[in-house]
Amino acid sequence: MAKNWLLTQHSNWRKRRNVPVKYNRELWQNTIHAMKRIQEIRTRRQNQFIKQRLKAGKKLELKDDEKEVERHIHLIEPKVTEEQVYNAALNKTKLKLLEKQKTIGRLKKWTWT
């Protein structure tokens, strides 16, 4: 009984689908416009789905990178800029000059004038 009902429903749908439609310019334009819109929506949803999938991977990759840095922190050396090298050399020369001035000052105290 149910099988017969399914067959009749299916055949009725087929009959309705194959009914010729008189050409209507507005109907064609609306159909083409709807097809374009459906394609836009489909591509947007696919892109959103891909972004969501990649977002989880980025989080995992970041965690893995952090663990690797923690394991190999001894290999990472701080970068030294030219300015830091220049300042270090300048400080050394200043210290040397101060030491020389102190020694000259001490010598002047002990010399006969």
Side-chain angles (χ1 to χ4, degrees):
M1 186 85 161
K3 192 173 184 182
N4 289 338
W5 180 78
L6 284 174
L7 289 174
T8 57
Q9 290 295 322
H10 184 67
S11 61
N12 287 340
W13 176 74
R14 271 191 174 170
K15 286 179 185 175
R16 277 186 255 135
R17 184 171 181 200
N18 290 327
V19 172
V21 178
K22 187 175 180 183
Y23 175 77
N24 185 352
R25 185 183 184 108
E26 282 185 39
L27 178 65
W28 273 89
Q29 288 176 345
N30 289 341
T31 305
I32 291 173
H33 180 70
M35 290 170 64
K36 288 179 182 178
R37 182 73 176 130
I38 289 169
Q39 187 62 33
E40 289 173 7
I41 292 169
R42 186 175 289 152
T43 54
R44 189 171 8 129
R45 287 181 180 174
Q46 286 176 350
N47 291 339
Q48 187 177 9
F49 177 75
I50 292 169
K51 284 181 183 178
Q52 290 294 336
R53 293 280 307 257
L54 292 176
K55 195 180 287 186
K58 284 182 183 179
K59 288 180 182 178
L60 291 174
E61 190 175 329
L62 185 63
K63 286 182 182 179
D64 289 343
D65 291 344
E66 288 175 355
K67 287 179 183 178
E68 188 173 349
V69 166
E70 287 176 7
R71 273 187 264 140
H72 303 292
I73 192 73
H74 64 280
L75 298 175
I76 300 172
E77 295 180 5
K79 285 191 172 181
V80 179
T81 62
E82 290 181 25
E83 185 178 345
Q84 291 172 338
V85 171
Y86 176 75
N87 287 337
L90 189 63
N91 288 336
K92 282 184 181 179
T93 54
K94 284 182 181 178
L95 288 174
K96 287 181 182 178
L97 286 175
L98 287 174
E99 288 177 14
K100 285 182 182 179
Q101 288 175 356
K102 287 180 183 177
T103 55
I104 291 172
R106 287 185 201 151
L107 290 174
K108 284 184 180 179
K109 288 181 185 176
W110 295 101
T111 56
W112 303 95
T113 52

